Amino acid sequence: MGEYALLYILFAPFAGALALIFISNRQPLLVRSVAASAAFVSLLASLYLFYAYDPVKGGFQFVQKYEWSKQLGISLHLGVDGIGTPLVLASSILLFAGIFVSWHIKDRAKEFYIWLLILAAATIGVFMSLDLFFLYFFYEMSVIPMYLLLGMWGSHTKKYLEMTDSEGLKLRDSVGFILNFGSNSKEYAAMKLVLFLSAFAVAALMGILLIYKYSGLNTFDILVLREQANLMNIPVLGTTLDKIIWVLVFFGFASIAPLWPLHSWSPVGHAAAPAATSMLHAGVLMKLGHFSIIRVAFEILPETTRELMPIAAVLCMFSIVYGGFVAFYAKDTKYVIGYSSSSHMGYVFLGMAALNYISLSGAVIYMFAHAMATGMLFAMAGWVYDQTHTRDIPSLGGLSNKMPFISVCFVIGCMASIGMPGTVNFIAEIMIIVGSWDKYPLQVIVAMLGIVLTLAYLFKMMRGLFYGPMNQKYSHAHDAISAVDRLPLLIMISISIGFGIFPMHLYDVVRSGVDPLVARIMRVVPVAQTHEGSGVRSEVIIPGTTSTVPVVASKLLPLPSQVSRGEGE
Amino acid sequence: MTFSLNLAFSDLLLLLPEIFLTCWLCVVLIVDFSLPRVPKERLAYLSVAGLVVTLGCLAWFDMNHVSGTLFGNMFVLDRMAIFFKIVILGATILVILASIEYVNRFTLFRGEYYCLVVMSALGMMFMVSANDLLSVFVSLEFATLGFYVLVSYLRDDLASNEGGLKFFILGVLAAGLLAYGISLVYGETGKLVFSDMASAQPTPGLIIGFLLIFAALGFKVGAVPFHSWIPDTYHGAPTPVTTFLSIAPKAAAFAILLRIFLVALGTFKPIWVVLLVAVSILSMTYANIVAIAQRNIKRLLAYSGIAQVGNVLIGLAAGTKMGNDAILFYLLAYLFANIGAFAVVIAVSQAIGTDEIEDYRGLSRRSPFLAFAMLLFLLSLAGVPPLAGFIGKLYIFVAAIKEGLYTLIVVGLINIVISMYYYLIVVKQMYINEPIDPSPIAISGPMKTVIYVGLAGTLVIGIYPQPFTDWVVSATLMFANFVGPSVTIIPPGASLGG
């Protein structure tokens, strides 16, 4: 393995998908085991990556670079820093868990696993791309598998199937179904997701093309661009170019995050998707947004980021509160979790907006933590749906008699989602809140309110599903008994609690990625101080602003993480 | 103007592919007449054999950098011409393979069908070598002549006859415009060879002349507002002919457009950029919006083709070496995706007898292979990574942004999203809806070959484009050096492709 770890992680799922094409659907066990072993290779390699990543050295490690197109200045440049590493790990954990969650899929299982593997590989590809072109390449590549996964294996709400249009045609047969807002069909959800994400992705692509043009370097390489591209102070349309690029990139990628007014595709998509897809979607696909913003906007336009990031600080409040309230009133299990995810992504934006070591590290750890927590919840909502074929909370109830294991896991999942001490979510939340307090006290108060809301809607859902009187219609429902069914939940729970109790390595890795970034962004204005982070500032050595040599990333900065080691608790 | 007709044998070498193909065409015709019992399928393979030999000859030319001019600069063989000839011959081979089954629908003249296809290909081979307005006119009409017949080949089908008639009337109109434009240009400059016109002054007569020529060529490529024949003709024509019509004449007409705009009109760039921007925006936006309402897959692909032409025009509007490369690359990507998509349409219509999008319901259950192939072809047309169409679009956008054509790029990007919708409507029918009749669909051998070639091209170009970008860059590099004065039209700042 060693230095090629990234290639294994990225190409194992692709190889698995390719192998599956040649396997017949009549051998379901072989299909599943090929998919599982591809995911397992990827998981092992990313565990290795996570523990072999050297936080003392920091910077981009495991770098691979292959020339791809001379004319366009594109190379397949892969590498992870402290921000990408945990997200790669989260993706491969969720892929592995997702394959077991969807173990019982009967209809076209082979195709399902092919698209799931491609989806996961594309997301992983974004997390390790150091080339703007490939970042976009993998980003856009993850959208189409979502369409097929939602459309082919997703679920409708029942009411929808009976709805007809004025001519008496079933709505799902009408060509204009996309205009039929408010419908809950899986086709609608899938199409809305693709169009929404593509529309905003092309905005981001426009930003990327502008970076390419105005840097004049004839390259898409992020490491070269961040050192050499000078995009500041070019007047365009009454403002400056860097602001236009930043807005295009930020909102282009924030749509998948999803930031508040751009979120509407997300809960619909979550609700329609099959369990494993929801897990990947909420767990990692949404993080592509934050990650790409960090990678493109933060790295290449640090000064503009400092200037414009308050936009995110304002919008994130709406995300948190709006998502929380909708989740509270929603009656559909997957809508609740979907809106809770979009609400929780507001915390990540808050952590990013505050732009200091603690809050940004908190935001990155939160992405990892949320992947596990929301993965669990979606897996269990999927289990309940498979057993009862309904997602309607009022009609369910008392399932804890039938499925004790699931209900215990559900409690743990809720605890993790709320951020109970002992789970990694707690560490992340406390870092975001503490880190942002100085700069954005109002937002922190809103975030606290969001935690209360989370508590309220998750407990409401838990009561609705597992306690209270039982609907006898669902008396045939049964628990997750076999090892295959329990494995994914146990993995996610153990990761969530494991890192909650021993967060040191995760924390060090994340800090090693966040520190140079924050130092770059904050090099003019003194670093925001936090109560814990007071030792940080003096340690940061700011790199020369006029460096023209492409800097080898690993030599970029000495890191303060050693100094601040141990403050995560 | 002096014509040096003292042809040496070595000069005729440049015409070898065309001469060979003409002879082969006669052989095919003679075989068809003299051996009426021979199954027409054999004639198809016979024509393909001739085309493959021609293709090999052109590949040999390309590798050995054979180039030169003939007939007082009327005929030019440079690497760009070779590139387009290879594309056209490749398309012709795939179209013939895809029509073997379909030809059984024709009541009469099954053998002549192949001859007409090869004859049109021959005409288009001359088109891409035309270096002079007269040879443009002659070769263009020669190529179109075969198509007039081919489009109305389904003699008993009203739609086919209607399509043929529309195509013919508008085609003749376009020919008239072309001839009038040529006469105006000749009257103003006294020159016919493109490279001689580079120094001409933009007088009103000359501009009108070129506008008329552009209208005629716009008719051939099917750009809005010269597109009105396309939907009906594509719909009515036999599907293999539609396939052929949607690729080869467009490629050939683009070769002429490239020569006219970059060589003859290099000095008028500020004038024609506005024209091309307008036509490109109209083509993309109009075609993509109208395509949403289509219920017939052939009409959908017709409008999608118009939109793709709009995309190619972005590269032409860039007017640089890189834009030129991007056009060639895009056409290559478009060739594989479009032939593949039409091959699937032919295979499906052979099995279920219609071309309505609704009848694609549940195709993924009836034939997972066809559905998967169609999915990839449509996504490549839409421009989704990791398929060829995405790289093609990106190449064009990069070329355009270097020239600062922001409006065009924004419109192009928005159109990607619009087009995604109607392509996904087909995907929805194939994958999400359940079939009414779940019986599996059988695919014939040649058809499978065509689809496999399309898939291979779409995927390989998308995943590893380097050899193909190298090819297009060297193709237009030779072109830039060869024509001489055109070197000056490359702005000093523009990089020669990296």
Side-chain angles (χ1 to χ4, degrees):
Chain A
M1 276 218 192
E3 54 186 320
Y4 297 112
L6 290 185
L7 296 181
Y8 285 99
I9 301 172
L10 179 59
F11 289 111
F14 280 129
L18 200 64
L20 279 178
I21 291 178
F22 301 104
I23 297 174
S24 160
N25 244 334
R26 266 167 255 151
Q27 296 162 290
L29 193 66
L30 186 63
V31 168
R32 288 177 205 143
S33 33
V34 167
S37 43
F40 188 64
V41 170
S42 191
L43 176 64
L44 274 188
S46 51
L47 275 173
Y48 168 82
L49 175 81
F50 183 72
Y51 284 101
Y53 182 88
D54 184 358
V56 179
K57 211 167 106 204
F60 290 99
Q61 298 181 14
F62 302 93
V63 175
Q64 299 283 322
K65 191 168 181 179
Y66 304 96
E67 183 134 291
W68 196 72
S69 172
K70 278 200 299 287
Q71 284 79 23
L72 297 169
I74 300 166
S75 53
L76 178 58
H77 194 178
L78 303 176
V80 285
D81 63 350
I83 299 171
T85 310
L87 293 173
V88 169
L89 180 65
S91 316
S92 51
I93 291 170
L94 285 188
L95 170 64
F96 187 68
I99 282 177
F100 285 95
V101 166
S102 42
W103 201 254
H104 300 293
I105 280 193
K106 297 237 164 36
D107 176 31
R108 292 180 277 188
K110 171 178 124 175
E111 284 87 345
F112 178 84
Y113 286 122
I114 290 176
W115 293 116
L116 193 69
L117 286 168
I118 292 177
L119 169 66
T123 12
I124 289 172
V126 175
F127 291 137
M128 52 178 67
S129 291
L130 290 181
D131 189 281
L132 285 176
F133 169 82
F134 271 101
L135 189 125
Y136 182 81
F137 185 92
F138 287 123
Y139 181 91
E140 188 64 26
M141 204 172 146
S142 67
V143 173
I144 293 300
M146 284 298 290
Y147 179 81
L148 293 164
L149 286 166
L150 258 70
M152 289 164 77
W153 295 277
S155 54
H156 306 282
T157 52
K158 282 242 171 65
K159 236 183 263 163
Y160 175 74
L161 293 173
E162 279 103 55
M163 283 157 71
T164 50
D165 67 3
S166 50
E167 292 168 27
L169 287 168
K170 286 266 169 69
L171 272 186
R172 58 186 303 193
D173 294 330
S174 103
V175 173
F177 69 93
I178 188 70
L179 300 169
N180 177 28
F181 289 98
S183 72
N184 289 325
S185 78
K186 56 185 182 177
E187 290 95 338
Y188 172 78
M191 187 65 91
K192 184 170 185 178
L193 181 142
V194 171
L195 293 185
F196 232 90
L197 292 187
S198 306
F200 284 95
V202 296
L205 180 62
M206 187 69 206
I208 289 173
L209 286 172
L210 285 171
I211 292 174
Y212 178 82
K213 154 136 178 136
Y214 280 96
S215 68
L217 298 168
N218 213 3
T219 178
F220 283 100
D221 197 310
I222 294 176
L223 294 186
V224 177
L225 286 171
R226 71 168 186 177
E227 298 305 328
Q228 296 177 33
N230 184 12
L231 302 164
M232 305 304 292
N233 302 326
I234 302 170
V236 184
L237 298 174
T239 170
T240 52
L241 178 77
D242 57 299
K243 288 199 178 108
I244 291 180
I245 296 178
W246 194 89
V247 166
L248 283 171
V249 168
F250 179 81
F251 285 100
F253 287 127
S255 67
I256 202 174
L259 189 60
W260 170 66
L262 318 175
H263 67 281
S264 74
W265 61 273
S266 156
V268 189
H270 281 122
T277 314
S278 301
M279 286 166 63
L280 273 174
H281 175 182
V284 285
L285 208 67
M286 287 178 14
K287 278 79 175 177
L288 294 185
H290 306 105
F291 180 82
S292 308
I293 290 170
I294 289 178
R295 195 55 102 227
V296 182
F298 282 29
E299 293 275 6
I300 296 175
L301 296 165
E303 289 172 49
T304 325
T305 302
R306 198 179 60 232
E307 213 173 320
L308 295 182
M309 208 53 196
I311 296 175
V314 174
L315 292 178
C316 78
M317 286 195 294
F318 294 95
S319 270
I320 294 172
V321 175
Y322 179 85
F325 274 107
V326 177
F328 187 77
Y329 289 105
K331 294 205 164 41
D332 179 318
T333 48
K334 284 190 162 181
Y335 267 97
V336 174
I337 309 174
Y339 271 107
S340 102
S341 294
S342 82
S343 156
H344 287 173
M345 288 301 98
Y347 297 125
V348 180
F349 274 112
L350 174 58
M352 281 161 68
L355 285 176
N356 66 54
Y357 300 107
I358 302 298
S359 71
L360 190 57
S361 310
V364 176
I365 298 178
Y366 197 88
M367 289 192 236
F368 180 80
H370 179 260
M372 295 303 129
T374 205
M376 278 183 247
L377 291 178
F378 269 120
M380 285 177 289
W383 180 267
V384 170
Y385 178 78
D386 284 345
Q387 295 301 318
T388 61
H389 294 285
T390 182
R391 303 190 311 236
D392 188 31
I393 297 175
S395 78
L396 291 163
L399 289 174
S400 62
N401 295 327
K402 290 289 172 190
M403 29 180 97
F405 176 77
I406 294 287
S407 51
V408 169
C409 291
F410 201 88
V411 175
I412 300 175
C414 288
M415 294 302 173
S417 204
I418 293 157
M420 278 277 283
T423 60
V424 66
N425 301 57
F426 168 71
I427 294 159
E429 256 171 38
I430 206 81
M431 282 170 77
I432 292 175
I433 283 173
V434 167
S436 320
W437 175 253
D438 279 357
K439 209 163 170 185
Y440 297 116
L442 174 66
Q443 277 82 343
V444 169
I445 292 167
V446 170
M448 300 285 211
L449 178 72
I451 294 176
V452 177
L453 267 174
T454 310
L455 193 80
Y457 59 72
L458 284 179
F459 275 36
K460 190 177 160 218
M461 181 165 82
M462 191 160 76
R463 192 191 64 195
L465 287 182
F466 294 105
Y467 303 105
M470 193 174 134
N471 187 338
Q472 289 307 316
K473 220 163 93 188
Y474 305 123
S475 55
H476 61 277
H478 64 83
D479 200 4
I481 296 167
S482 67
V484 166
D485 296 333
R486 290 188 174 189
L487 183 69
L489 290 173
L490 291 176
I491 291 175
M492 288 184 282
I493 289 175
S494 54
I495 299 268
S496 190
I497 295 181
F499 280 114
I501 298 171
F502 307 105
M504 286 313 305
H505 186 68
L506 176 64
Y507 178 80
D508 288 343
V509 168
V510 170
R511 278 304 290 267
S512 74
V514 165
D515 287 350
L517 193 61
V518 175
R520 267 170 67 76
I521 295 170
M522 284 297 154
R523 67 189 163 204
V524 181
V525 176
V527 177
Q529 282 73 47
T530 62
H531 306 299
E532 288 117 319
S534 50
V536 169
R537 182 172 48 164
S538 57
E539 294 296 317
V540 179
I541 295 163
I542 289 135
T545 47
T546 52
S547 144
T548 49
V549 192
V551 173
V552 177
S554 57
K555 289 181 193 156
L556 192 64
L557 274 182
L559 291 165
S561 56
Q562 295 94 313
V563 182
S564 49
R565 204 173 258 253
E567 66 196 31
E569 286 299 320
Chain B
M1 183 188 340
T2 53
F3 283 85
S4 56
L5 284 176
N6 49 345
L7 285 168
F9 180 73
S10 60
D11 284 347
L12 279 181
L13 180 76
L14 298 179
L15 269 175
L16 185 66
E18 284 83 359
I19 292 173
F20 174 79
L21 202 58
T22 315
C23 298
W24 196 269
L25 182 65
C26 299
V27 170
V28 175
L29 260 181
I30 292 166
V31 170
D32 182 34
F33 288 138
S34 55
L35 302 169
R37 296 277 172 83
V38 169
K40 303 300 175 200
E41 220 179 285
R42 302 256 172 91
L43 286 180
Y45 291 120
L46 191 66
S47 331
V48 167
L51 289 164
V52 168
V53 172
T54 321
L55 199 63
C57 174
L58 283 166
W60 184 82
F61 278 7
D62 194 45
M63 269 181 269
N64 292 291
H65 301 249
V66 174
S67 61
T69 55
L70 282 179
F71 313 129
N73 254 344
M74 281 178 86
F75 179 95
V76 57
L77 189 80
D78 49 24
R79 293 194 70 186
M80 191 178 88
I82 295 176
F83 173 90
F84 276 106
K85 283 180 191 186
I86 291 177
V87 166
I88 288 165
L89 285 178
T92 316
I93 293 172
L94 293 174
V95 164
I96 289 184
L97 287 178
S99 30
I100 289 176
E101 240 188 315
Y102 198 95
V103 166
N104 294 329
R105 290 194 193 182
F106 303 147
T107 44
L108 281 172
F109 310 124
R110 290 181 191 165
E112 284 87 341
Y113 171 82
Y114 299 112
C115 299
L116 282 167
V117 169
V118 176
M119 195 188 90
S120 302
L122 197 58
M124 286 180 286
M125 285 171 73
F126 280 108
M127 264 168 90
V128 300
S129 277
N131 194 33
D132 162 295
L133 288 172
L134 279 183
S135 50
V136 164
F137 184 80
V138 174
S139 57
L140 201 136
E141 292 315 307
F142 176 34
T144 319
L145 194 63
F147 276 113
Y148 293 143
V149 184
L150 283 171
V151 168
S152 34
Y153 225 82
L154 291 168
R155 289 157 44 103
D156 305 326
D157 184 56
L158 271 182
S160 178
N161 286 321
E162 185 198 334
L165 195 63
K166 278 191 178 159
F167 184 41
F168 178 71
I169 292 173
L170 288 170
V172 170
L173 181 69
L177 292 179
L178 182 61
Y180 189 47
I182 289 172
S183 69
L184 275 177
V185 170
Y186 184 68
E188 288 288 329
T189 62
K191 295 194 173 65
L192 285 170
V193 178
F194 295 147
S195 43
D196 297 344
M197 290 174 202
S199 53
Q201 292 304 309
T203 57
L206 189 62
I207 289 175
I208 292 172
F210 273 117
L211 275 179
L212 291 172
I213 294 174
F214 177 72
L217 290 169
F219 170 86
K220 283 283 160 264
V221 298
V224 176
F226 315 110
H227 67 285
S228 53
W229 60 282
I230 287 207
D232 287 333
T233 307
Y234 278 33
H235 183 192
T239 317
V241 176
T242 311
T243 317
F244 200 30
L245 202 55
S246 72
I247 296 153
K250 284 188 185 177
F254 269 113
I256 296 178
L257 280 174
L258 280 174
R259 287 186 204 278
I260 290 186
F261 278 101
L262 296 185
V263 180
L265 300 180
T267 44
F268 305 179
K269 193 178 169 191
I271 304 174
W272 53 255
V273 162
V274 185
L275 172 76
L276 287 179
V277 167
V279 173
S280 166
I281 289 179
L282 275 178
S283 298
M284 288 190 287
T285 316
Y286 173 80
N288 275 328
I289 289 172
V290 176
I292 291 177
Q294 300 308 315
R295 303 243 174 165
N296 180 296
I297 187 91
K298 280 161 82 179
R299 291 184 88 88
L300 182 112
L301 287 173
Y303 280 108
S304 124
I306 300 174
Q308 307 287 344
V309 165
N311 268 309
V312 179
L313 288 174
I314 298 179
L316 193 57
T320 55
K321 166 83 174 69
M322 194 176 189
N324 205 335
D325 301 343
I327 291 178
L328 265 58
F329 188 89
Y330 195 94
L331 287 173
L332 203 59
Y334 174 71
L335 162 87
F336 287 112
N338 218 35
I339 285 205
F342 272 113
V344 175
V345 172
I346 297 172
V348 171
S349 88
Q350 284 294 339
I352 62 178
T354 70
D355 297 321
E356 298 301 307
I357 296 174
E358 285 213 340
D359 296 320
Y360 281 68
R361 288 181 76 100
L363 189 65
S364 78
R365 290 204 190 272
R366 305 183 66 178
S367 169
F369 171 69
L370 280 183
F372 181 70
M374 190 66 163
L375 170 73
L376 290 194
F377 295 137
L378 292 180
L379 291 180
S380 179
L381 290 175
V384 171
L387 304 170
F390 172 69
I391 316 292
K393 286 207 161 86
L394 190 94
Y395 207 153
I396 287 209
F397 289 147
V398 167
I401 201 153
K402 284 194 169 176
E403 292 302 298
L405 298 167
Y406 303 113
T407 330
L408 258 187
I409 295 172
V410 170
V411 174
L413 287 172
I414 292 170
N415 272 295
I416 290 185
V417 182
I418 302 177
S419 69
M420 198 90 100
Y421 173 68
Y422 60 78
Y423 291 125
L424 285 180
I425 291 273
V426 183
V427 174
K428 167 181 171 272
Q429 293 287 1
M430 293 192 304
Y431 274 92
I432 299 177
N433 291 358
E434 296 295 326
I436 296 168
D437 164 25
S439 61
I441 290 175
I443 318 162
S444 69
M447 192 60 85
K448 239 180 190 160
T449 317
V450 175
I451 296 176
Y452 275 127
V453 170
L455 278 178
T458 305
L459 282 168
V460 170
I461 297 178
I463 292 169
Y464 189 62
Q466 184 69 59
F468 301 94
T469 50
D470 282 347
W471 186 26
V472 297
V473 165
S474 66
T476 55
L477 200 64
M478 289 299 289
F479 162 70
N481 291 336
F482 179 75
V483 186
S486 73
V487 177
T488 52
I489 62 150
I490 296 169
S495 82
L496 287 180

